[in-house]
Amino acid sequence: MRSFRYPCLASLLWLGLVTASTADPDVREEATQAQRNQAELQARIDEADDESRAMLAELRELERANRRLERENAELAPRLERRADALERREAALGTLEETRDALPALQARLVERLAQWVDDDMPFLRDERRARVASLQAMDGEPTSAERWERIVGAWRTELEYGREFDAWRGYQDSEGGRREVDYLRLGRIGFYYLTPDGREGGVWEVASERWVPLDEAQRREVRNGLRIARDRRAPELLTLPISQPLESTGEGDS
């Protein structure tokens, strides 16, 4: 009987409290407010959890973006360094461009002057033609652009250099004691310069050291005649035995 009595008493007390709380409006209002407060607190906790998860996801995305940027920066760094070096070189070139432009006319004038001196000191082949070319360079102040003047100067120098590689023959005139006469000229680069009269009875080799024509003997004139035929494609190439106009060590194309 004892074991049944006490539980029944507790149940009665609880029922009494519930009944009392149900009967008392103030107690009922406090209970309702407590439930609302608990619900609001739970809602705040849930909202805070959602915000925390969103912030965590955003933080992870920012970390991934930061790693991508670091990789891209590592790849771009060498390229940017090369571009920076190129810009520095370009700026340095632009810095000296004005000085170069100012010095260019004087340089061109010196090149024309050296070319004129070279023609005067060289063997006297095609001298009128070569002097006329130099004179046209000296009188080209009216050229529209500096680039065109430079192109003509370089072209004239290139032509002079090519003379040292040519095997050429032509008919021209020569001033002699007996007056002006027609002769055939033969030129072996800048090594040998020869002439032969049309009848083959006279011929000579230009001697650079003495700056005069030295007569050739009959055998040498025959060699010149063979050279003329070879230069004019009338004879197959062959070895010629002829005196040279100047020592080989003095025939450099850069000499003036």
Side-chain angles (χ1 to χ4, degrees):
M1 295 295 291
R2 182 178 300 174
S3 61
F4 178 76
R5 184 186 303 165
Y6 287 106
C8 290
L9 181 60
S11 299
L12 290 173
L13 290 174
W14 182 80
L15 290 173
L17 290 174
V18 170
T19 304
S21 63
T22 304
D24 191 346
D26 294 336
V27 173
R28 187 171 62 250
E29 179 65 25
E30 289 179 0
T32 302
Q33 183 64 36
Q35 291 176 354
R36 284 199 298 269
N37 291 342
Q38 184 177 2
E40 292 177 358
L41 178 60
Q42 185 63 43
R44 291 195 200 99
I45 292 174
D46 294 341
E47 183 179 355
D49 289 343
D50 293 340
E51 185 177 358
S52 297
R53 285 192 292 270
M55 293 178 64
L56 181 59
E58 183 178 359
L59 178 60
R60 289 174 178 172
E61 181 62 28
L62 290 174
E63 290 177 348
R64 287 193 293 269
N66 184 61
R67 287 194 293 270
R68 286 197 301 269
L69 288 175
E70 289 178 352
R71 289 195 301 269
E72 292 174 358
N73 288 336
E75 294 174 357
L76 287 175
R79 192 181 310 170
L80 292 176
E81 290 179 1
R82 290 194 296 271
R83 290 187 178 180
D85 293 339
L87 287 175
E88 289 180 1
R89 291 193 299 268
R90 188 171 300 175
E91 289 177 358
L94 290 175
T96 59
L97 181 60
E98 185 175 354
E99 297 178 1
T100 303
R101 187 184 295 112
D102 293 339
L104 188 58
L107 175 60
Q108 292 175 341
R110 287 198 300 271
L111 287 173
V112 174
E113 182 180 353
R114 288 187 58 189
L115 186 62
Q117 189 64 43
W118 189 8
V119 172
D120 289 339
D121 295 342
D122 198 11
M123 294 188 298
F125 63 89
L126 304 175
R127 180 160 281 177
D128 293 341
E129 174 184 327
R130 296 162 69 195
R131 284 177 173 172
R133 186 182 298 113
V134 173
S136 69
L137 296 178
Q138 294 171 335
M140 66 177 180
D141 294 336
E143 292 292 332
T145 64
S146 177
E148 291 184 8
R149 290 196 297 271
W150 185 257
E151 184 177 357
R152 289 187 57 187
I153 293 173
V154 172
W157 271 96
R158 187 179 293 113
T159 299
E160 285 293 328
L161 293 174
E162 288 298 325
Y163 285 143
R165 304 181 180 94
E166 293 177 348
F167 181 36
D168 195 14
W170 69 97
R171 176 159 291 191
Y173 293 93
Q174 182 186 74
D175 294 327
S176 63
E177 296 179 358
R180 190 174 178 83
R181 60 180 178 178
E182 192 175 48
V183 297
D184 289 313
Y185 288 106
L186 176 67
R187 181 174 58 83
L188 308 179
R190 283 189 165 84
I191 297 175
F193 184 34
Y194 315 91
Y195 82 88
L196 189 67
T197 57
D199 59 12
R201 294 181 178 179
E202 293 184 38
V205 56
W206 180 261
E207 189 176 75
V208 172
S210 61
E211 295 186 353
R212 65 185 182 89
W213 290 104
V214 176
L216 297 175
D217 58 31
E218 183 178 355
Q220 293 169 338
R221 293 196 302 272
R222 186 164 51 250
E223 290 290 287
V224 172
R225 187 179 301 107
N226 291 338
L228 291 168
R229 291 172 179 171
I230 294 172
R232 292 166 177 167
D233 294 329
R234 297 176 184 174
R235 186 184 180 98
E238 63 181 47
L239 182 64
L240 299 176
T241 303
L242 286 168
I244 59 177
S245 296
Q246 60 181 333
L248 295 178
E249 61 269 16
S250 302
T251 61
E253 293 179 354
D255 297 341
S256 57

